[in-house]
Amino acid sequence: MDQQKTGRFLKELRHEKQMTQEQLAQVFNVSSRTISRWENGTNLPDISLLVEIADFYDVDVREIIEGERKSEMMDEEVREVATKMADYANEEKGKLLKSVQIISFIGVLVLLISIGIQTFNIEANQINKGVLAVTFIALVIMAIVTLYVTGLLEKIAGNKKLVRGIKIVTLVGLAAAFWRVIVMTVIVGILLVSVELSPIEEYDDVSRYNEFMNFSNGAYEKGVDTLWTKWGMDETIWPAKITDSMDVADFKMVYYNPWDAQYLGYLVVDYSSDAYAEEVERLKEYESTEYIGYYCVEEEKTYDLLAVNADSYNGFVYALTDGKGRIIYGEQIFCNYFMDLDYTKYIPDEYLLDGFDATTDSDYYKKMTEN
């Protein structure tokens, strides 16, 4: 049997009728794509349709199968056999189709119940979004299969207005179902743009020291507006001012504000013996706070810790000493349990408290944000 020959014959018969593939598809209740496949020789018409096609074109079933016209017409005996074969095929296909339809409806119902169970009376942050998304995709696939086996899909596909309406309803439904995801995507996009546009400000001119300290720049005075309030953290561990007698070995202040202000700073001073003793005494009188465990910080062993103001949310202000006249003043002030700023690029490790980790990979961040 030559499928290509049969296809060309069917195309010839349609042209004789002066019909389009779409018009013929409506006659036999199939899709225009199915007609195209018949005529291209990709597929053959279902046996249940052969008699109907033969009658429509007024040809013999054998002519369709052989792909050419014959002089004799199909006799009654052949027609009867072909009709019985078509009826048998329809009956068998109907039984199979009915079983598939039942299974498809059950599949859709089970997936709907699954989605309901996953979302009913559960807080949004407890929903397993990955599982829910996979279940939703499975529901869509099962719904399409169900429409196909019931014959509704071809009817829907043939109605352009209905298809357009379904698309609109689907988009609206998805927007309603996943509005949180959409909103969060927009917010994240805005934040990412903010990060790209926000500059990192670095200052190493110690003569501007007072501008950066929130106890000396008038930040708490009525009517004063300044960036350097540093989340209200107490910075009085640091010197009240830089004097001529202080030998400043190193100094830096960093400010970054992608959406929440972040501050990083250090001041390294070499004191004379008398001035060192006086400063150490001042710092030891400071009422230090607990600090071990915050942001993975361990007991300080690299240097002697003279004073510390630690906050489980906003970070640290502290003073370290090598015991030989040098005092290191440091601060990392931020919020939300992590720093967007890559602080390791701006402060030597030795100036950080031992174990300090303000990244989103830290155990401290995971513990504080897991709920």
Side-chain angles (χ1 to χ4, degrees), residues 162-258:
L162 183 58
V163 170
R164 191 180 299 112
I166 290 174
K167 287 180 179 178
I168 293 172
V169 171
T170 301
L171 289 174
V172 173
L174 287 173
F178 296 102
W179 67 270
R180 290 183 180 178
V181 176
I182 295 170
V183 170
M184 287 303 298
T185 301
V186 172
I187 292 174
V188 169
I190 293 172
L191 293 179
L192 289 175
V193 171
S194 298
V195 170
E196 292 298 322
L197 297 179
S198 298
I200 298 174
E201 302 178 27
E202 292 184 70
Y203 304 96
D204 55 12
D205 182 1
V206 74
S207 68
R208 299 181 60 190
Y209 177 80
N210 285 351
E211 297 178 33
F212 309 130
M213 308 312 294
N214 65 20
F215 54 79
S216 60
N217 65 4
Y220 296 124
E221 295 177 10
K222 187 176 181 181
V224 174
D225 183 17
T226 177
L227 293 173
W228 298 90
T229 54
K230 301 182 182 176
W231 297 107
M233 287 286 284
D234 178 18
E235 294 181 283
T236 55
I237 289 174
W238 286 46
K241 60 182 179 179
I242 303 298
T243 65
D244 294 337
S245 61
M246 297 169 64
D247 183 7
V248 177
D250 205 356
F251 171 75
K252 180 175 285 187
M253 277 290 177
V254 181
Y255 170 72
Y256 182 48
N257 190 5

Side-chain angles (χ1 to χ4, degrees), residues 236-282:
T236 55
I237 289 174
W238 286 46
K241 60 182 179 179
I242 303 298
T243 65
D244 294 337
S245 61
M246 297 169 64
D247 183 7
V248 177
D250 205 356
F251 171 75
K252 180 175 285 187
M253 277 290 177
V254 181
Y255 170 72
Y256 182 48
N257 190 5
W259 48 80
D260 290 316
Q262 301 174 39
Y263 309 89
L264 180 150
Y266 57 86
L267 170 69
V268 182
V269 180
D270 291 322
Y271 289 94
S272 64
S273 58
D274 291 341
Y276 174 71
E278 183 180 344
E279 180 67 358
V280 168
E281 184 178 357
R282 180 187 76 85

